[in-house]
Amino acid sequence: MTDADERGDEAVPPVADRADDVAERAAVARRAAEAGAAVAHESFRSDIAVETKGEDDVVTEADRAAQRTVIEAIRESFPDDAVVGEEEDERKTVPEEGAAWVIDPIDGTNNYVRDVRVWATAVAAVVDGEPVAAAIVAPALGDTYTADATGAYRNGEPIAVSDVDEPRKAAVDPTIWWAYDARDEYTRACEAIVTRFGDMRRLGAAQVVLPTVAAGGLEGTITNLRANPWDTVAGVFVIRQAGGRVTDLEGDRWRHDSKGVVASNGALHDEVLAAARAIEDPD
């Protein structure tokens, strides 16, 4: 029985025929994320103009410039692959067949524009809808997370989820921002966490939160929302490669189009899942 079987999380299906192809995609993901993060970091804590995208979302020229840089780095090696990206005219859904890249030039833009260091550039390589490699670069924090067929890493060193199995010793993050008219759900998410676990964090950038779970800094993170793939795919892959578990609100294996994100160290997944479900059904 595999570790995935013991956790109840299905093993990631094979999605690439050649190990060298996956290794190349992992290398390109890292180069692209590093290049995009460098561009974003140049404008961090500057007087860059801030625009709004809807009621609660913001964007800057740094987002756009970083995305263009990421795409250019990918196109050097994989010119024909689809790109799923948050900004500009890139496609917004992950194709079920073929190779693609899922990118977020600055995840945590609200932190970025407030001069808070918690933000990252994320790049995931997917084949037939499944991630095969990921890189998440948080330059203001000095951390680079990567994941490939061999495991998950922070700054080149292997990482693993925590072994905490007591809820009162656990810390959980409510991630993915709730719209202003859904603050009752945000309230229930916070209540579900503080009444079940020892502590709560809110870092404000999903692609920093997810690898933090992978590295053992958090035991879980939850949302009941259907998250955008650029906010999640890379980080979810890092968690899985670090030995963690990620499901939807039904407890089924999470996919890029799932409703809800329930990520944990595995040992506390039932408790983290119960907290996520309480957001919509507090009884």
Side-chain angles (χ1 to χ4, degrees), residues 60-84:
T60 71
E61 179 53 35
D63 293 83
R64 301 186 188 98
Q67 178 156 301
R68 289 192 293 267
T69 299
V70 169
I71 294 172
E72 288 170 3
I74 291 169
R75 293 280 186 242
E76 289 177 1
S77 299
F78 297 97
D80 299 323
D81 286 0
V83 175
V84 179

Side-chain angles (χ1 to χ4, degrees), residues 209-282:
V209 172
L210 292 165
T212 300
V213 174
L218 293 165
E219 278 64 52
T221 184
I222 61 171
T223 187
N224 63 313
L225 303 176
R226 193 180 301 277
N228 294 313
W230 47 84
D231 291 327
T232 48
V233 172
V236 166
F237 186 65
V238 175
I239 288 177
R240 286 179 172 154
Q241 295 305 92
R245 185 178 177 191
V246 189
T247 69
D248 62 14
L249 289 178
E250 300 302 317
D252 296 325
R253 184 177 182 278
W254 185 89
R255 284 173 32 93
H256 56 81
D257 55 358
S258 293
K259 184 178 188 298
V261 180
V262 185
S264 79
N265 65 350
L268 288 172
H269 197 79
D270 289 346
E271 291 84 354
V272 176
L273 179 59
R277 288 173 170 170
I279 300 172
E280 295 186 349
D281 185 12

Side-chain angles (χ1 to χ4, degrees), residues 68-239:
R68 289 192 293 267
T69 299
V70 169
I71 294 172
E72 288 170 3
I74 291 169
R75 293 280 186 242
E76 289 177 1
S77 299
F78 297 97
D80 299 323
D81 286 0
V83 175
V84 179
E86 180 174 12
E87 309 303 338
E88 299 182 324
D89 295 327
E90 302 307 320
R91 64 177 295 155
K92 305 304 178 188
T93 58
V94 178
E96 293 296 331
E97 296 182 356
W101 300 80
V102 183
I103 66 175
D104 195 338
I106 302 178
D107 184 67
T109 304
N110 276 299
N111 283 342
Y112 182 91
V113 301
R114 291 174 177 270
D115 296 344
V116 176
R117 296 177 184 270
V118 184
W119 56 271
T121 300
V123 178
V126 301
V127 181
D128 297 340
E130 287 288 345
V132 297
I136 300 170
V137 180
L141 297 175
D143 286 329
T144 294
Y145 296 90
T146 58
D148 57 23
T150 66
Y153 305 88
R154 180 175 59 197
N155 301 332
E157 297 295 324
I159 56 174
V161 293
S162 82
D163 59 3
V164 171
D165 59 4
E166 297 180 35
R168 290 190 64 176
K169 295 182 178 179
V172 176
D173 183 298
T175 197
I176 307 296
W177 193 232
W178 284 263
Y180 195 80
D181 60 1
R183 293 303 163 87
D184 56 334
E185 294 184 1
Y186 179 38
T187 299
R188 288 196 293 270
C190 294
E191 182 179 11
I193 291 171
V194 301
T195 57
R196 287 172 170 81
F197 303 103
D199 204 354
M200 185 181 85
R201 298 283 188 273
R202 175 153 175 87
L203 301 185
Q207 294 283 29
V208 176
V209 172
L210 292 165
T212 300
V213 174
L218 293 165
E219 278 64 52
T221 184
I222 61 171
T223 187
N224 63 313
L225 303 176
R226 193 180 301 277
N228 294 313
W230 47 84
D231 291 327
T232 48
V233 172
V236 166
F237 186 65
V238 175
I239 288 177

